[in-house]
Amino acid sequence: QAARARLAEHRKREDAARKRVAAQRAEHSALTDRRKGLWRKEQQLGESTRGSVAELDKAQRTLQQSMSRSLWEAVRAVERIAAEKKIGGVYGMLIELFDVDEKFFTAVETAAANQLFHVVVDTDETAARMLKELQQANAGRVTFMPLNRLRPQDGPQYPDSEDVIPMVKKLKFEERFKPAFRQIFRKHLIVRDLDVGSRFSKSHDLDCVTLEGDSVNRKGALSGGYTDLRRSRLRAQLDRLRLREALAASEAELAAVVGEGETLDAEVTRVLSDMREAEAE
């Protein structure tokens, strides 16, 4: 009777071990399937990230090609030096600090020209320090706009006409940057056509530009012609911003997936270890 009891107990343990192994195999299979899904997702995110990097490089090149090589290297040096030396109050190029509806891109670019690449800083002390750093690094020349020194005049008095729009009113920027934008754009009007521009440039002493980029300035000079929209500086900047955000999101998601995969790998290892122990019993 004792032998039968021991045999029954042994069979009971074997049955429990088989059930435990079966459950562990099922868990292992489920974990493996999840891991395969994460591998696929990791590959997709990796491809997406590489695509965003390539597109961002293209947008960077478009913006770079719209300015001189020396200026591009200088503004990149400003970013690098400010980051490395932890110099606060360097806000970036003017082009990076505002939004505007796409239909005004050409007009705004015509009005501002290379002033879009002026670097806005908080004070003249910051500007002086950055100039010294650029000189020591032989990193080229940059125009800084210290907000504490900018004193754009009041006005001007804009025409009361449906044919014109004060350009500065179509720009969206932080209030603290208002002096910089008024300094550059307050004397510019967006006009329906050059006839309107010629009239108001004389009567109100304003520089006028059409949506197509044709312009007439306060001295009466007219300029215009073909504009290649594919080389738009503001379009390139918009693409840079959008792609940087997309790249950051892809990288964050990829990091999360990689972390989840590492956690699953540890779970798979644990389950395999438990299976071996159960099979050995």
Side-chain angles (χ1 to χ4, degrees):
Q1 189 174 359
R4 285 197 299 272
R6 285 195 298 272
L7 179 60
E9 182 63 26
H10 178 69
R11 288 175 176 172
K12 183 178 179 181
R13 286 199 301 270
E14 282 187 336
D15 185 53
R18 280 194 298 271
K19 289 180 179 179
R20 190 162 65 252
V21 169
Q24 289 165 343
R25 284 175 177 167
E27 183 181 6
H28 177 264
S29 178
L31 288 172
T32 301
D33 287 344
R34 283 180 58 196
R35 190 63 183 96
K36 288 178 180 178
L38 286 176
W39 278 325
R40 288 191 294 270
K41 190 171 184 180
E42 191 174 329
Q43 284 185 323
Q44 293 170 352
L45 287 171
E47 292 174 2
S48 175
T49 299
R50 288 189 291 273
S52 293
V53 169
E55 290 185 47
L56 179 57
D57 287 343
K58 182 179 178 181
Q60 294 268 58
R61 286 194 302 272
T62 299
L63 190 61
Q64 179 180 352
Q65 291 165 2
S66 73
M67 66 178 87
S68 68
R69 180 177 179 180
S70 60
L71 179 57
W72 174 261
E73 291 177 349
V75 294
R76 293 282 75 80
V78 167
E79 290 182 358
R80 175 178 53 78
I81 291 170
E84 290 177 355
K85 297 184 177 292
K86 296 181 172 56
I87 301 174
V90 180
Y91 301 122
M93 295 184 292
L94 193 78
I95 195 173
E96 299 174 312
L97 302 178
F98 73 99
D99 292 322
V100 64
D101 192 289
E102 293 182 32
K103 67 182 179 182
F104 299 121
F105 277 5
T106 302
V108 171
E109 290 179 39
T110 299
N114 282 337
Q115 293 176 103
L116 287 171
F117 306 125
H118 288 0
V119 176
V120 179
V121 296
D122 55 356
T123 66
D124 51 339
E125 291 182 2
T126 300
R129 181 177 178 187
M130 288 305 306
L131 286 170
K132 183 177 180 181
E133 294 288 348
L134 287 173
Q135 290 169 352
Q136 292 177 345
N138 294 320
R141 301 176 66 84
V142 171
T143 298
F144 290 95
M145 300 185 74
L147 294 172
N148 71 320
R149 288 292 185 178
L150 299 180
R151 297 288 188 272
Q153 297 176 0
D154 293 335
Q157 185 67 40
Y158 295 118
D160 183 13
S161 170
E162 294 182 356
D163 292 331
V164 305
I165 304 171
M167 186 172 288
V168 73
K169 293 185 178 181
K170 289 300 177 181
L171 308 180
K172 300 174 184 177
F173 48 82
E174 292 183 37
E175 183 66 22
R176 58 178 170 162
F177 299 139
K178 187 174 182 178
F181 287 97
R182 282 191 52 78
Q183 178 86 7
I184 292 175
F185 293 105
R186 69 185 180 85
K187 297 281 282 185
H188 284 87
L189 279 183
I190 301 171
V191 296
R192 179 170 53 82
D193 54 40
L194 283 181
D195 289 336
V196 173
S198 295
R199 186 166 77 252
F200 288 123
S201 66
K202 295 176 183 177
S203 64
H204 287 70
D205 193 34
L206 297 171
D207 294 325
C208 300
V209 59
T210 68
L211 291 177
E212 294 75 28
D214 299 329
S215 64
V216 53
N217 66 25
R218 285 166 274 175
K219 297 180 180 179
L222 280 77
S223 64
Y226 172 71
T227 300
D228 187 352
L229 299 179
R230 294 172 301 178
R231 298 178 63 82
S232 167
R233 293 166 165 179
L234 289 172
R235 165 63 62 189
Q237 172 57 26
L238 181 65
D239 288 343
R240 286 176 74 212
L241 181 61
R242 174 179 58 81
L243 290 166
R244 281 176 176 174
E245 292 175 349
L247 181 59
S250 292
E251 289 176 338
E253 189 174 2
L254 179 59
V257 169
V258 169
E260 186 177 354
E262 291 173 350
T263 300
L264 272 180
D265 287 340
E267 282 290 296
V268 169
T269 299
R270 178 190 61 77
V271 171
L272 283 173
S273 176
D274 291 345
M275 284 172 59
R276 293 192 187 97
E277 289 180 6
E279 290 171 344
E281 290 181 358

